Amino acid sequence: MNLKVKTLVLHGDEEDAQMLHSDIEHILKDRPRRLLVIINPNSGKRKGMKIYQKVAAPLFQLCGLKAHVIVTKKQKEPTDILKNYNLSNIDGIVTVGGDGLYCECMNGLIARVQRDNNVNVNCHNTDIVSASIPMGIIPAGSGNVIVQYLHGTKCARTAVLHILLGGNVESNVCSAHEGGKLLSYSALILGFGLFGDMMHDCEKFRWMGPLRYNVVPVASMFKRREIDVEIEYYSANKEKATKRIKGLGKQISLPNGFMIPSSKSKIQRTKSTPGVLDSSDVQECEKEEGRVYAVDTHAIMMKEKSGRMIPSFGQDSLMVYTTHKCTLSDHVSQLTKVKNEQPDCYDYKFVSKHKVSSYKVRLLNATVSENTKTLQKDFFLNCDGEVIRITEPEFDVKLHKKAVRIFGNASG
């Protein structure tokens, strides 16, 4: 896409000129004037600096936008940068890199906002404070999935124009906790089991560059493993407290104000006023137990519209997909449809779907080492491309609605 600059000369009196200026300022009132730009020079094909200098910088200068540019030198650096950065001096944070860099900056920004608001992020039930400063992505990575979702294209110039216009969408994130500690926030995908193993295997072949994401997962499929788990799904529907009893073919309905955290916990009333029940605490808990290949969820959920899948950034619930025992050929067929974003990609008997606000995965028959106090077997989470090793027998995932803003105009 080639852009041309033209100068338009208008003639009129001072009052007309002021009115025109006022109208233009009103149209562009939301556009950013000052940005923090964080560049990962090693993302994708290592063209981050070139893309910024040739595409973004000239447009920023043309529009009178001031940018403070920081080039990262190591992983997790964005978290350190945002920990003490003066956010009052900027109108947005822009990443030049892939989905991984955006997710690092998103984690850093959310952590900073929670610290400023005295929020305990290590409690898995905590509702976090949403970030008001929007973030933008100039694609220079391997996948650039979020940019594709936002604009329908991976064009860097299109992304820059959306940043300059200032419009933004509210997007969900998910938190993952284990052992009373926050592991990470996810902006895209949180995959346990197969997708965790795939990403762990890919890390062993970093020397292959982006090519490893096309080659290594094929080998991972041939050694897929079943994992014994118990999963507690906490429904996003708070209208009725219902606990499904597996195998009995019936439900037990409970009065408003009761909450069912797990089978080992006692049913508790709210402690506000004796005899008065608070319907805001009502959740439905459904349990599933067995051997699974994967438990996956997406902060940006895909939904069907007019025969195709479109992204939904700020939905009211989280969809969890659990993959059970199946043949290798059926599994490959299903994952191929997921990759191609076909509407029926999850319509398989071996894939269960649950619409939740949070869920807990408990590893059954998992042995903890007496020396290290961690699991003897290796289990991994794929958190937006980052590999996180699970060290405790259970972990929790929670949806945080509209926690971040991203420059763009996605309609989903």
Side-chain angles (χ1 to χ4, degrees):
M1 178 175 62
N2 295 320
L3 299 178
K4 294 182 180 180
V5 179
K6 288 186 177 182
T7 301
L8 180 64
V9 179
L10 301 174
H11 299 279
D13 57 29
E14 183 178 352
E15 183 179 353
D16 290 337
Q18 288 179 345
M19 288 181 61
L20 178 61
H21 179 267
S22 178
D23 289 342
I24 293 174
E25 284 294 307
H26 178 73
I27 293 171
L28 300 177
K29 66 181 186 302
D30 294 327
R31 77 178 182 90
R33 264 75 171 180
R34 301 163 300 175
L35 292 175
L36 168 62
V37 178
I38 299 177
I39 303 174
N40 180 357
N42 298 315
S43 287
K45 297 181 180 179
R46 302 189 175 187
K47 292 184 178 181
M49 282 298 300
K50 182 178 180 181
I51 289 173
Y52 178 75
Q53 291 169 351
K54 286 198 170 185
V55 179
L59 289 172
F60 286 172
Q61 184 178 8
L62 183 66
C63 296
L65 187 148
K66 295 180 180 179
H68 177 201
V69 179
I70 299 177
V71 181
T72 62
K73 298 177 181 178
K74 59 183 179 180
Q75 282 188 323
K76 305 296 184 182
E77 189 175 350
T79 301
D80 295 331
I81 293 169
L82 294 171
K83 188 177 294 183
N84 298 304
Y85 196 89
N86 189 351
L87 300 179
S88 64
N89 283 341
I90 57 174
D91 303 312
I93 301 167
V94 171
T95 65
V96 185
D99 296 315
L101 177 62
Y102 165 76
C103 293
E104 282 189 50
C105 291
M106 176 273 296
N107 268 274
L109 177 60
I110 291 181
R112 168 65 181 277
V113 173
Q114 306 323 301
R115 189 192 72 185
D116 291 349
N117 287 276
N118 298 315
V119 175
N120 178 14
V121 298
N122 288 317
C123 175
H124 73 271
N125 280 324
T126 296
D127 291 323
I128 64 174
V129 177
S130 298
S132 59
I133 297 178
M135 300 184 65
I137 311 170
I138 299 175
S142 303
N144 304 311
V145 175
I146 299 176
V147 163
Q148 176 71 40
Y149 284 171
L150 279 167
H151 315 309
T153 176
K154 298 179 182 180
C155 172
R157 188 170 281 109
T158 299
V160 172
L161 292 176
H162 279 291
I163 292 169
L164 289 169
L165 289 171
N168 57 78
V169 297
E170 297 175 312
S171 186
N172 294 345
V173 302
C174 304
S175 60
H177 288 78
E178 72 162 5
K181 183 179 179 181
L182 173 69
L183 294 175
S184 185
Y185 294 103
S186 168
L188 190 60
I189 181 173
L190 195 64
F192 171 73
L194 179 60
F195 283 109
D197 291 345
M198 281 182 175
M199 193 53 59
H200 176 257
D201 293 342
C202 285
E203 286 296 293
K204 303 174 187 176
F205 296 89
R206 294 188 68 88
W207 57 269
M208 293 178 66
L211 181 64
R212 68 186 184 275
Y213 297 119
N214 295 324
V215 177
V216 177
V218 176
S220 301
M221 281 295 297
F222 282 103
K223 59 176 185 178
R224 61 189 181 139
R225 56 174 173 167
E226 289 182 285
I227 304 173
D228 286 317
V229 297
E230 178 185 80
I231 308 173
E232 294 177 6
Y233 303 99
Y234 292 91
S235 173
N237 178 14
K238 294 187 177 184
E239 294 180 359
K240 187 177 181 181
T242 304
K243 183 177 181 180
R244 299 180 186 274
I245 308 299
K246 186 178 179 183
L248 297 181
K250 61 181 180 180
Q251 299 178 345
I252 297 178
S253 296
L254 301 174
N256 288 340
F258 281 92
M259 186 174 180
I260 309 168
S262 70
S263 60
K264 296 180 180 179
S265 302
K266 294 181 180 179
I267 298 173
Q268 300 175 339
R269 292 180 185 266
T270 55
K271 297 181 180 180
S272 52
T273 305
V276 178
L277 303 176
D278 184 359
S279 61
S280 66
D281 287 337
V282 175
Q283 280 188 310
E284 176 187 338
C285 176
E286 182 178 349
K287 275 191 180 182
E288 189 172 38
E289 182 179 325
R291 297 173 65 83
V292 302
Y293 286 120
V295 182
D296 307 308
T297 192
H298 305 265
I300 302 174
M301 191 166 70
M302 302 298 288
K303 62 182 183 180
E304 184 180 357
K305 184 177 181 180
S306 302
R308 64 188 184 95
M309 301 293 278
I310 62 169
S312 179
F313 285 81
Q315 71 278 2
D316 290 330
S317 59
L318 192 65
M319 190 68 80
V320 187
Y321 302 99
T322 306
T323 307
H324 303 269
K325 187 179 178 78
C326 60
T327 65
L328 179 61
S329 60
D330 284 344
H331 203 171
V332 170
S333 172
Q334 187 259 330
L335 291 179
T336 301
K337 288 188 176 183
V338 172
K339 182 179 180 181
N340 295 331
E341 298 179 355
Q342 294 179 235
D344 62 342
C345 59
Y346 294 109
D347 295 340
Y348 286 78
K349 291 182 178 180
F350 55 83
V351 179
S352 62
K353 296 175 283 188
H354 300 265
K355 189 177 288 187
V356 305
S357 61
S358 63
Y359 64 95
K360 180 190 294 287
V361 176
R362 185 174 291 111
L363 303 177
L364 302 178
N365 307 317
T367 307
V368 178
S369 171
E370 293 184 1
N371 296 326
T372 63
K373 304 301 180 183
T374 60
L375 297 174
Q376 290 185 345
K377 286 187 177 181
D378 289 332
F379 298 97
F380 305 99
L381 274 177
N382 172 6
C383 182
D384 301 331
E386 178 189 1
V387 179
I388 300 176
R389 185 173 183 269
I390 298 297
T391 60
E392 300 278 344
E394 64 183 44
F395 64 89
D396 294 270
V397 177
K398 176 179 170 63
L399 170 69
H400 301 280
K401 301 176 188 177
K402 301 178 180 180
V404 292
R405 295 174 177 269
I406 315 176
F407 287 118
N409 65 348
S411 58

